[in-house]
Amino acid sequence: DYDLGVPATITLPGFANYKAIGIDVVTGFEQELITEVDNDNLIIKNLLVKDYPVIISATPIEIPEGTLIVTTTADSGPGSLRNALEIAVHGDTITFDPTVFPPNSPATIFLGSPLPALLKGELTIDASYAGVVIDGSNIALDEFNGLHVLSNNNTIHGLHLKNFSKAGIALEGGA
């Protein structure tokens, strides 16, 4: 079948914590779907629609307790890194939604002010499976760090920090 189909965008309300694949009913071919999350909606982009049905399979993403997922490049508000750092408790893990922060095309969080210091201990910030750039170029202070770690046993993976007047990651006070 040489008909590649027509690209379509589909919004699935209430499916933000799902992953989706498309299945061509004639060939059985599974199509990788390009998705993003907007509020509580899963948006499927560039789904190739042909003149016969395509099955969309949505599977819940299991999120372990104590995991906070950054779902936006916004500097603040729900789903932001800043919000996750503010509400995290001792032992939590902060991860990044790879549909918002694709590993092969990193997304940038432009900070308007320094992030909250890591005070709680045993916090993990894991961007291993996402492309995350944290940029301090919009911060109007003379001296500031990217992440300021003031507690013990924290783990930070996979972040790209740039444009900070001091350290990208500063360790102090027994960290």
Side-chain angles (χ1 to χ4, degrees):
D1 182 2
Y2 293 101
D3 177 15
L4 296 178
V6 176
T9 299
I10 298 173
T11 300
L12 301 174
F15 280 79
N17 293 323
Y18 284 72
K19 65 179 179 178
I21 61 167
I23 304 168
D24 184 315
V25 296
V26 172
T27 65
F29 175 74
E30 289 187 6
Q31 180 184 156
E32 181 179 339
L33 300 178
I34 299 169
T35 62
E36 67 181 47
V37 174
D38 181 25
N39 295 319
D40 196 31
N41 302 321
L42 179 66
I43 301 171
I44 300 170
K45 295 188 167 197
N46 295 325
L47 174 67
L48 295 179
V49 179
K50 300 182 180 188
D51 58 357
Y52 46 84
V54 173
I55 297 171
I56 297 174
S57 173
T59 308
I61 299 170
E62 294 194 25
I63 302 170
E65 187 173 325
T67 299
L68 303 166
I69 301 175
V70 177
T71 59
T72 181
T73 59
D75 179 33
S76 62
S80 69
L81 174 59
R82 183 178 305 279
N83 180 248
L85 290 169
E86 289 168 348
I87 65 174
V89 297
H90 179 88
D92 276 355
T93 298
I94 297 172
T95 63
F96 297 80
D97 183 340
T99 63
V100 177
F101 300 92
N104 296 330
S105 181
T108 302
I109 299 170
F110 288 97
L111 301 178
S113 62
L115 289 168
L118 277 69
L119 301 171
K120 298 169 178 126
E122 296 190 23
L123 185 67
T124 298
I125 301 174
D126 189 359
S128 299
Y129 302 102
V132 182
V133 178
I134 301 174
D135 189 318
S137 62
N138 292 340
I139 299 176
L141 298 174
D142 290 335
E143 294 188 3
F144 55 92
N145 297 304
L147 287 172
H148 199 166
V149 182
L150 299 171
S151 57
N152 295 324
N153 300 319
N154 297 286
T155 305
I156 300 169
H157 295 285
L159 295 176
H160 176 164
L161 295 109
K162 67 180 191 175
N163 297 322
F164 294 95
S165 62
K166 293 178 80 177
I169 299 174
L171 305 175
E172 289 186 47

